[in-house]
Short mmCIF file of all heavy atoms in Angstrom, two decimals:
data_model
loop_
_atom_site.label_atom_id
_atom_site.label_comp_id
_atom_site.label_asym_id
_atom_site.label_seq_id
_atom_site.Cartn_x
_atom_site.Cartn_y
_atom_site.Cartn_z
N TRP A 38 -7.53 -15.48 16.46
CA TRP A 38 -7.03 -14.97 15.18
C TRP A 38 -5.52 -15.06 14.99
O TRP A 38 -5.03 -14.98 13.86
CB TRP A 38 -7.43 -13.50 15.00
CG TRP A 38 -8.90 -13.29 14.91
CD1 TRP A 38 -9.71 -12.82 15.91
CD2 TRP A 38 -9.76 -13.55 13.79
NE1 TRP A 38 -11.01 -12.77 15.47
CE2 TRP A 38 -11.07 -13.21 14.18
CE3 TRP A 38 -9.53 -14.04 12.50
CZ2 TRP A 38 -12.15 -13.33 13.32
CZ3 TRP A 38 -10.61 -14.16 11.64
CH2 TRP A 38 -11.90 -13.81 12.06
N CYS A 39 -4.75 -15.16 16.01
CA CYS A 39 -3.30 -14.96 15.88
C CYS A 39 -2.47 -16.20 16.23
O CYS A 39 -1.38 -16.38 15.69
CB CYS A 39 -2.82 -13.81 16.77
SG CYS A 39 -3.93 -12.39 16.81
N SER A 41 -2.49 -19.29 15.61
CA SER A 41 -2.12 -20.28 14.59
C SER A 41 -0.82 -19.91 13.88
O SER A 41 -0.11 -20.78 13.39
CB SER A 41 -3.26 -20.46 13.57
OG SER A 41 -3.59 -19.21 13.02
N CYS A 42 -0.50 -18.63 13.81
CA CYS A 42 0.77 -18.21 13.21
C CYS A 42 1.78 -17.71 14.25
O CYS A 42 2.98 -17.77 14.02
CB CYS A 42 0.55 -17.07 12.21
SG CYS A 42 -0.23 -17.59 10.68
N HIS A 43 1.28 -17.18 15.37
CA HIS A 43 2.18 -16.55 16.34
C HIS A 43 2.30 -17.29 17.66
O HIS A 43 2.79 -16.75 18.63
CB HIS A 43 1.73 -15.11 16.61
CG HIS A 43 2.00 -14.16 15.48
ND1 HIS A 43 3.26 -13.72 15.14
CD2 HIS A 43 1.16 -13.57 14.59
CE1 HIS A 43 3.18 -12.90 14.10
NE2 HIS A 43 1.92 -12.79 13.75
N PRO A 50 4.27 -20.03 11.35
CA PRO A 50 4.92 -19.16 10.36
C PRO A 50 5.26 -17.77 10.87
O PRO A 50 6.31 -17.23 10.52
CB PRO A 50 3.91 -19.11 9.20
CG PRO A 50 2.65 -19.72 9.70
CD PRO A 50 2.99 -20.58 10.88
N GLY A 51 4.38 -17.18 11.69
CA GLY A 51 4.67 -15.84 12.21
C GLY A 51 5.85 -15.87 13.17
O GLY A 51 6.77 -15.05 13.09
N SER A 54 9.05 -16.54 11.25
CA SER A 54 9.47 -15.37 10.49
C SER A 54 10.10 -14.32 11.42
O SER A 54 11.13 -13.70 11.07
CB SER A 54 8.25 -14.80 9.77
OG SER A 54 8.62 -13.89 8.79
N LEU A 55 9.52 -14.15 12.60
CA LEU A 55 10.07 -13.17 13.55
C LEU A 55 11.38 -13.67 14.17
O LEU A 55 12.26 -12.88 14.49
CB LEU A 55 9.04 -12.81 14.62
CG LEU A 55 7.83 -12.02 14.08
CD1 LEU A 55 6.78 -11.82 15.16
CD2 LEU A 55 8.26 -10.67 13.51
N LYS A 58 13.78 -12.69 11.60
CA LYS A 58 13.94 -11.24 11.54
C LYS A 58 14.82 -10.72 12.67
O LYS A 58 15.72 -9.91 12.46
CB LYS A 58 12.56 -10.56 11.61
CG LYS A 58 12.61 -9.04 11.59
CD LYS A 58 11.20 -8.43 11.61
CE LYS A 58 11.28 -6.91 11.64
NZ LYS A 58 9.95 -6.29 11.76
N TYR A 59 14.57 -11.19 13.89
CA TYR A 59 15.28 -10.64 15.05
C TYR A 59 16.47 -11.49 15.49
O TYR A 59 17.20 -11.12 16.41
CB TYR A 59 14.32 -10.44 16.22
CG TYR A 59 13.28 -9.37 15.95
CD1 TYR A 59 11.93 -9.70 15.83
CD2 TYR A 59 13.65 -8.04 15.79
CE1 TYR A 59 10.97 -8.72 15.57
CE2 TYR A 59 12.70 -7.06 15.52
CZ TYR A 59 11.36 -7.40 15.41
OH TYR A 59 10.43 -6.43 15.15
N LEU A 67 4.97 -13.56 20.01
CA LEU A 67 4.46 -12.25 20.42
C LEU A 67 4.08 -12.19 21.89
O LEU A 67 4.28 -11.17 22.55
CB LEU A 67 3.22 -11.87 19.57
CG LEU A 67 3.46 -11.61 18.09
CD1 LEU A 67 2.14 -11.25 17.43
CD2 LEU A 67 4.48 -10.50 17.87
N ARG A 70 6.95 -11.22 24.17
CA ARG A 70 7.65 -9.94 23.99
C ARG A 70 7.27 -8.93 25.06
O ARG A 70 6.13 -8.92 25.52
CB ARG A 70 7.28 -9.36 22.60
CG ARG A 70 7.68 -10.26 21.45
CD ARG A 70 8.72 -9.74 20.56
NE ARG A 70 8.61 -8.39 20.07
CZ ARG A 70 8.43 -8.07 18.78
NH1 ARG A 70 8.26 -9.02 17.87
NH2 ARG A 70 8.43 -6.83 18.40
N PHE A 77 1.78 -0.11 17.56
CA PHE A 77 2.53 -1.04 16.72
C PHE A 77 1.64 -2.24 16.37
O PHE A 77 1.56 -2.65 15.21
CB PHE A 77 3.77 -1.48 17.51
CG PHE A 77 4.72 -2.39 16.77
CD1 PHE A 77 5.67 -1.87 15.91
CD2 PHE A 77 4.67 -3.77 16.96
CE1 PHE A 77 6.57 -2.71 15.25
CE2 PHE A 77 5.56 -4.61 16.31
CZ PHE A 77 6.51 -4.08 15.45
N ILE A 78 0.95 -2.79 17.34
CA ILE A 78 0.08 -3.94 17.12
C ILE A 78 -1.09 -3.57 16.21
O ILE A 78 -1.39 -4.27 15.24
CB ILE A 78 -0.42 -4.50 18.46
CG1 ILE A 78 0.79 -5.09 19.20
CG2 ILE A 78 -1.50 -5.55 18.27
CD1 ILE A 78 0.63 -5.23 20.65
N PHE A 81 -0.03 -3.37 12.46
CA PHE A 81 0.14 -4.64 11.75
C PHE A 81 -1.17 -5.38 11.58
O PHE A 81 -1.40 -5.99 10.54
CB PHE A 81 1.19 -5.51 12.45
CG PHE A 81 2.60 -5.09 12.15
CD1 PHE A 81 3.32 -4.31 13.03
CD2 PHE A 81 3.18 -5.43 10.93
CE1 PHE A 81 4.61 -3.89 12.73
CE2 PHE A 81 4.47 -5.01 10.62
CZ PHE A 81 5.20 -4.24 11.52
N VAL A 82 -2.04 -5.32 12.57
CA VAL A 82 -3.33 -6.03 12.47
C VAL A 82 -4.19 -5.42 11.36
O VAL A 82 -4.82 -6.14 10.59
CB VAL A 82 -4.07 -6.04 13.82
CG1 VAL A 82 -5.49 -6.61 13.66
CG2 VAL A 82 -3.30 -6.89 14.83
N VAL A 86 1.34 -7.89 6.87
CA VAL A 86 2.74 -7.83 6.43
C VAL A 86 3.10 -9.21 5.88
O VAL A 86 2.69 -10.23 6.44
CB VAL A 86 3.68 -7.42 7.58
CG1 VAL A 86 3.58 -8.36 8.78
CG2 VAL A 86 5.13 -7.35 7.12
N LEU A 87 3.83 -9.26 4.78
CA LEU A 87 4.19 -10.53 4.13
C LEU A 87 2.95 -11.42 4.00
O LEU A 87 1.96 -10.99 3.43
CB LEU A 87 5.31 -11.22 4.91
CG LEU A 87 6.61 -10.41 5.11
CD1 LEU A 87 7.63 -11.22 5.91
CD2 LEU A 87 7.21 -10.00 3.77
N ILE A 88 2.98 -12.63 4.57
CA ILE A 88 1.81 -13.52 4.44
C ILE A 88 0.73 -13.22 5.48
O ILE A 88 -0.32 -13.85 5.48
CB ILE A 88 2.20 -15.01 4.56
CG1 ILE A 88 2.78 -15.31 5.95
CG2 ILE A 88 3.14 -15.42 3.44
CD1 ILE A 88 2.68 -16.78 6.35
N MET A 89 0.99 -12.29 6.39
CA MET A 89 -0.04 -11.98 7.40
C MET A 89 -1.11 -11.10 6.77
O MET A 89 -0.81 -10.05 6.22
CB MET A 89 0.60 -11.25 8.58
CG MET A 89 -0.42 -10.77 9.60
SD MET A 89 0.41 -10.02 11.02
CE MET A 89 -0.97 -9.11 11.72
N PRO A 90 -2.38 -11.54 6.84
CA PRO A 90 -3.45 -10.73 6.23
C PRO A 90 -3.76 -9.50 7.08
O PRO A 90 -3.49 -9.48 8.27
CB PRO A 90 -4.64 -11.70 6.24
CG PRO A 90 -4.40 -12.58 7.42
CD PRO A 90 -2.89 -12.74 7.52
N PHE A 92 -6.55 -7.55 8.97
CA PHE A 92 -7.83 -7.98 9.54
C PHE A 92 -8.84 -6.84 9.44
O PHE A 92 -8.54 -5.70 9.81
CB PHE A 92 -7.64 -8.41 11.00
CG PHE A 92 -6.83 -9.67 11.12
CD1 PHE A 92 -5.44 -9.63 11.13
CD2 PHE A 92 -7.45 -10.91 11.19
CE1 PHE A 92 -4.68 -10.79 11.22
CE2 PHE A 92 -6.70 -12.08 11.28
CZ PHE A 92 -5.31 -12.02 11.29
N LEU A 105 -6.90 -6.65 22.40
CA LEU A 105 -5.76 -7.44 21.92
C LEU A 105 -4.45 -6.66 22.09
O LEU A 105 -3.45 -7.20 22.59
CB LEU A 105 -5.98 -7.79 20.44
CG LEU A 105 -4.86 -8.48 19.69
CD1 LEU A 105 -4.59 -9.87 20.28
CD2 LEU A 105 -5.23 -8.62 18.21
N LEU A 109 -1.27 -7.76 24.43
CA LEU A 109 0.09 -8.02 23.94
C LEU A 109 1.11 -6.99 24.43
O LEU A 109 2.30 -7.26 24.42
CB LEU A 109 0.10 -8.08 22.40
CG LEU A 109 -0.56 -9.31 21.79
CD1 LEU A 109 -0.57 -9.21 20.27
CD2 LEU A 109 0.13 -10.60 22.24
C1 LIG B 201 -1.16 -16.30 8.41
C2 LIG B 201 -0.25 -16.15 9.52
C3 LIG B 201 -0.42 -14.95 10.45
C4 LIG B 201 -1.53 -14.58 11.16
C5 LIG B 201 -2.89 -15.26 11.19
C6 LIG B 201 -1.14 -13.43 11.93
N1 LIG B 201 0.16 -13.10 11.66
FE1 LIG B 201 1.17 -11.53 12.46
N2 LIG B 201 2.76 -11.94 11.25
C7 LIG B 201 2.86 -13.04 10.42
C8 LIG B 201 4.11 -12.95 9.69
C9 LIG B 201 4.64 -13.96 8.70
C10 LIG B 201 4.74 -11.76 10.12
C11 LIG B 201 6.00 -11.13 9.55
C12 LIG B 201 7.20 -11.39 10.32
C13 LIG B 201 8.39 -10.74 9.64
O1 LIG B 201 8.41 -9.49 9.46
O2 LIG B 201 9.29 -11.47 9.30
C14 LIG B 201 3.86 -11.17 11.12
C15 LIG B 201 4.16 -10.00 11.80
C16 LIG B 201 3.41 -9.48 12.83
C17 LIG B 201 3.79 -8.35 13.65
C18 LIG B 201 5.06 -7.52 13.51
C19 LIG B 201 6.06 -7.98 14.52
C20 LIG B 201 7.43 -7.38 14.33
O3 LIG B 201 8.14 -7.22 15.33
O4 LIG B 201 7.83 -7.09 13.18
C21 LIG B 201 2.78 -8.16 14.56
C22 LIG B 201 2.71 -7.10 15.65
C23 LIG B 201 1.79 -9.20 14.32
N3 LIG B 201 2.21 -9.97 13.26
C24 LIG B 201 0.65 -9.35 15.04
C25 LIG B 201 -0.36 -10.26 14.73
C26 LIG B 201 -1.61 -10.33 15.43
C27 LIG B 201 -1.95 -9.50 16.66
C28 LIG B 201 -2.36 -11.28 14.80
C29 LIG B 201 -3.79 -11.69 15.09
C30 LIG B 201 -4.80 -10.62 14.93
C31 LIG B 201 -1.57 -11.80 13.70
N4 LIG B 201 -0.36 -11.16 13.70
C32 LIG B 201 -1.97 -12.78 12.84
C33 LIG B 201 1.92 -14.04 10.25
C34 LIG B 201 0.63 -14.00 10.76
#
Side-chain angles (χ1 to χ4, degrees):
W38 296 103
C39 320
S41 55
C42 287
H43 287 288
S54 194
L55 292 174
K58 179 178 178 184
Y59 294 114
L67 293 180
R70 299 246 313 245
F77 183 83
I78 293 159
F81 282 99
V82 172
V86 58
L87 303 179
I88 63 158
M89 174 176 162
F92 292 85
L105 174 64
L109 288 177

